[in-house]
Amino acid sequence: MAIMRQMRPALTIFLLLSVLTGLVYPLGMTGLAGLLFPQQAGGSLIRSEGKTVGSVLIGQNFSSPGYFHGRPSATMGSDPADASKTIEVPYNAAASVGSNASPTSRALVERVAAAVAQLKAENPEAVAAGEHIPMDLVTTSASGLDPDISPDAAFFQVRRVAQARRLPESEVHQLVENLIQSPLMGWLGEPHVNVLQLNMALDTLHR
Amino acid sequence: MSISGWATIAAFLICVIAMTRPLGGYLKRVLEGERHFLAYGLGPIERVFYRLAGVCPREEHSWSQYAFAVLAFKVLCFLAVYALLRLQAQLPLNPTGMSAVAPDLAYNTAMSFVTNTNWQSYSGETTMSHLSQMLALTVQNFVSAAAGIAIAAAVIRGFARRSAAAIGNFWVDLVRATFYVLLPACVILTLFFVVQGVPQTLLGSAQALTLEGARQTIALGPVASQEAIKMLGTNGGGFFNTNSAHPFENPNALTNFVQMLCIFAIGAGLTNMFGRMVGKERQGWAIFSAMTALFLVGVSILYWSEAHANPLLTALGVDPSLGNMEGKEARFGVAASALFATVTTDASCGAVNAMHESFLPLGGMVPLINMMLGEVIFGGVGAGLYGFILFAIIAVFMAGLMVGRTPEYLGKKIESREIKMTMLAVLCLPLVMLGFTAVAVVVKPGLSALSASGPHGFTEALYAYTSAAANNGSAFSGLTANSFWNATLGLGMMIGRFFVIVPVLAIAGAMAAKKVAAPTPGTFPTDNGLFIGLVTGVILIVGGLTFLPALALGPIVEHLEMLHGSAF
């Protein structure tokens, strides 16, 4: 039968291509990347005083008033009290996931309403000054690990952070301005601020 | 909508147009065995492959032998992937101690990767060992794409040759597409991605102590090497669960732009290769133009939709200026997310940089329609071109009916057998997309997996089977696939791939055997605006008539409900 005659080439070519594309290629690239660009190949980790603080590309959960907060995250993780249960673990970088909320789901509307209320409670000065609630601060990111926020979302939090750290508002505002990453060539990408870098800069400012 | 957003879309299109001709020329040289610079270095290895496999590169296949070779290879790939996933716990390179993949999930995943669909019922970083990612999934990313290119080449030969019995040698096409197209490009792309921040390491994860003193486990792995082929081969199966939205897979706007170009690169190049091989590049540009027109319509609607904020959320006092940001990344924003979603569903890639489920109803409808049209807007590597040729055959057939002449395409008479084969391939897709959805939304195991209620739940089911049958692989990911879904989606992917490949190869065989009629003043030209309009119309009408009722029940109703302020 015709299909049997094709078995030898099928088997041989499959094995050879598997070795080439499944072992030689990824392992060779791993070696080459580790040699040429070890920092990026290892996950762009940030080390400070001998400890790994995180990755510059991966967002972290911030909740204290003295730090800028990132976007809501939909990631889950196992409950430390009971491993059989899963609970909300924002910015769980071992299990990325988006909310996948339908635009017309009641759960989404309720969740955003709660986020708006919390944001208003945490930033009464910004609300009093008439600043709008930035969309990205009340919606979850696609990966649950978004390291960035929009410049507006950072400015919205400046008063709160400055007050918590007893710093002049203008200084914190200037810091945000300095760390805004503009679109490449002026059009490619959205202006954004990396929250971890911003907060680390804030920590050095404090000293 | 912003000027920078439109600038991104315009720049993208300009880059695709600029790539098409050089890529088409190169692809033709590779697949026709002509001389090209890489053959000097890799040629000896290529010949060793043939010797070990007992393949004579000059011996060509008839269409049925070619189809048998494809099927034999695919069966083997399926079995190998299934075995690797089931055995991964006992195999090396498993730093995070992943257990064996469950049978239904392993079946679904094997089918998914063998058919170039890369639907992911699993979450990469919590399911797959590094060995599975490399030896099972990365290999399939290469060979399923290479097989697509090979089949496209065979189909083109069918139109280019006259009175011929053979349409090429599958093994030679497969090896050449891997050696000279995919692999070298991926080496360069991998290094580019690593420079931009995509990890490439054998470590399983890194432990961090965050600024606020919490522990964070950061999943790592050989991501960049898989990322490169995932995009170039229009596979779309991500290393991580959230695919190209994950900052490690797609760290910035530049990598995002390059990833989108990779998705279209080979599909666009093949249109030009088609033109060159049938003797007139304009024939290729006609196909390219029809594809581009459909692409522009899709991206404009999607961008327009997503640039609007969700009215249910702005009612809560949220600033609408950023648009619909639920399920999108701040570094991409709505423009790059809308463009990516269009590109990934025009081509049957299925990688995502934003969650399609959270698009506004009309925004989410665009990816759905792109897939329903049969993935012919550049399409999956190879699959897009041969899928488009099916619609071109219908278009010339209709034109022939209108003027009462025997339809011809490129001088070849289109006869009853070709039309039957074309209709078989074109009709099996809606059968799976609509038939399976109809079953899933009435049986309990089908309904229990849906996360959304109301019309959105219906769209979730429709999207899943559409994505499977079109071999796309993107999802409304709220769906938690259970064994019912894994089984039916796997079946849908198989039908969507092989019920197109076999008829299309049969058409190629029939075409190769035909003589070429000299063009007369009465010949319907297939390289001008009239043909472009006609074939675009055929694609839209076949898609529109078949799917409009289903779309009305899903996204259209949901859009109207949203404007009324209803939530479900």
Side-chain angles (χ1 to χ4, degrees), chain B residues 174-544:
Chain B
L174 180 75
V175 169
R176 284 185 181 153
T178 311
F179 262 53
Y180 302 124
V181 181
L182 299 175
L183 204 53
C186 283
V187 168
I188 297 165
L189 280 169
T190 302
L191 289 176
F192 167 74
F193 285 142
V194 172
V195 171
Q196 295 295 318
V198 180
Q200 180 71 20
T201 169
L202 293 181
L203 292 177
S205 59
Q207 299 295 329
L209 197 62
T210 67
L211 287 192
E212 289 198 342
R215 296 204 164 279
Q216 191 182 35
T217 303
I218 301 173
L220 294 169
V223 186
S225 57
Q226 191 171 326
E227 199 63 22
I229 185 62
K230 165 194 143 195
M231 309 315 292
L232 195 68
T234 62
N235 295 288
F239 191 92
F240 297 106
N241 184 41
T242 50
N243 212 291
S244 280
H246 196 295
F248 273 163
E249 285 202 24
N250 195 0
N252 56 50
L254 182 63
T255 56
N256 191 58
F257 194 77
V258 171
Q259 292 196 357
M260 293 186 293
L261 286 177
C262 289
I263 298 177
F264 269 6
I266 294 177
L270 282 172
T271 63
N272 183 261
M273 168 174 148
F274 173 80
R276 285 171 192 261
M277 281 176 63
V278 300
K280 207 170 173 195
E281 276 187 68
R282 266 178 71 97
Q283 298 284 356
W285 287 115
I287 295 179
F288 183 96
S289 308
M291 290 174 166
T292 303
L294 290 166
F295 157 73
L296 283 174
V297 172
V299 74
S300 304
I301 297 175
L302 187 45
Y303 184 25
W304 166 81
S305 163
E306 294 310 294
H308 290 78
N310 185 337
L312 300 176
L313 304 188
T314 49
L316 303 168
V318 186
D319 179 31
S321 59
L322 285 178
N324 176 27
M325 284 302 287
E326 178 71 18
K328 293 194 182 64
E329 298 281 295
R331 63 192 178 285
F332 303 138
V334 292
S337 300
L339 179 58
F340 197 107
T342 311
V343 169
T344 198
T345 51
D346 277 346
S348 74
C349 181
V352 295
N353 79 346
M355 294 299 129
H356 293 185
E357 173 124 39
S358 298
F359 285 1
L360 296 185
L362 294 186
M365 188 169 76
V366 172
L368 195 55
I369 294 178
N370 283 340
M371 296 186 293
M372 287 168 169
L373 298 183
E375 299 293 30
V376 294
I377 311 171
F378 296 101
V381 292
L385 187 80
Y386 59 71
F388 189 95
I389 287 176
L390 294 175
F391 283 108
I393 289 176
I394 301 178
V396 293
F397 177 65
M398 284 180 32
L401 287 183
M402 283 185 234
V403 296
R405 274 184 55 118
T406 311
E408 283 170 11
Y409 188 40
L410 305 164
K412 305 255 187 181
K413 278 200 171 68
I414 307 287
E415 289 163 302
S416 135
R417 179 179 143 92
E418 287 83 66
I419 291 294
K420 281 180 194 153
M421 287 293 167
T422 303
M423 290 320 291
L424 180 66
V426 168
L427 287 178
C428 78
L429 292 185
L431 193 70
V432 172
M433 291 168 180
L434 297 174
F436 283 29
T437 305
V439 174
V441 294
V442 291
V443 299
K444 210 163 168 229
L447 284 169
S448 66
L450 301 178
S451 73
S453 43
H456 199 84
F458 175 76
T459 314
E460 212 171 72
L462 182 63
Y463 196 103
Y465 289 115
T466 304
S467 172
N471 294 152
N472 182 278
S474 69
F476 272 19
S477 328
L479 185 105
T480 41
N482 54 26
S483 47
F484 168 84
W485 283 90
N486 280 335
T488 51
L489 287 169
L491 189 64
M493 295 186 249
M494 188 178 74
I495 297 174
R497 192 74 174 174
F498 299 110
F499 277 64
V500 176
I501 284 181
V502 177
V504 102
L505 282 173
I507 294 172
M511 287 296 161
K514 285 177 202 261
K515 294 191 196 68
V516 173
T520 65
T523 306
F524 178 63
T526 52
D527 58 355
N528 63 6
L530 182 63
F531 172 74
I532 296 169
L534 187 66
V535 73
T536 311
V538 165
I539 292 171
L540 287 175
I541 290 165
V542 169

Side-chain angles (χ1 to χ4, degrees), chain B residues 74-233:
Chain B
K74 291 288 174 182
V75 169
L76 204 65
C77 289
F78 173 81
L79 294 175
V81 174
Y82 184 82
L84 279 168
L85 298 185
R86 296 287 293 140
L87 295 172
Q88 70 172 8
Q90 279 81 41
L91 295 170
L93 279 174
N94 186 5
T96 39
M98 300 294 180
S99 52
V101 180
D104 64 315
L105 186 56
Y107 152 80
N108 181 282
T109 307
M111 195 58 89
S112 169
F113 277 74
V114 167
T115 57
N116 198 269
T117 308
N118 299 37
W119 170 276
Q120 293 176 285
S121 279
Y122 62 93
S123 151
E125 62 266 51
T126 57
T127 316
M128 296 294 166
S129 73
H130 285 354
L131 190 78
S132 297
Q133 293 269 18
M134 296 192 305
L135 202 54
L137 306 185
T138 304
V139 169
Q140 288 311 315
N141 283 348
F142 273 98
V143 297
S144 68
I149 298 175
I151 294 163
V155 171
I156 298 173
R157 287 186 197 115
F159 283 94
R161 292 178 176 179
R162 33 192 86 181
S163 313
I167 55 171
N169 183 315
F170 174 64
W171 307 114
V172 174
D173 290 340
L174 180 75
V175 169
R176 284 185 181 153
T178 311
F179 262 53
Y180 302 124
V181 181
L182 299 175
L183 204 53
C186 283
V187 168
I188 297 165
L189 280 169
T190 302
L191 289 176
F192 167 74
F193 285 142
V194 172
V195 171
Q196 295 295 318
V198 180
Q200 180 71 20
T201 169
L202 293 181
L203 292 177
S205 59
Q207 299 295 329
L209 197 62
T210 67
L211 287 192
E212 289 198 342
R215 296 204 164 279
Q216 191 182 35
T217 303
I218 301 173
L220 294 169
V223 186
S225 57
Q226 191 171 326
E227 199 63 22
I229 185 62
K230 165 194 143 195
M231 309 315 292
L232 195 68

Side-chain angles (χ1 to χ4, degrees), chain A residues 103-104, chain B residues 304-305 308 311-312 360-363 365 455-456 459 551-566 568:
Chain A
T104 53
Chain B
W304 166 81
S305 163
H308 290 78
L312 300 176
L360 296 185
L362 294 186
M365 188 169 76
H456 199 84
T459 314
L551 293 173
L553 288 175
I556 294 174
V557 152
E558 191 191 3
H559 174 72
L560 298 173
E561 293 279 5
M562 183 183 77
L563 294 183
H564 268 268
S566 344
F568 299 90

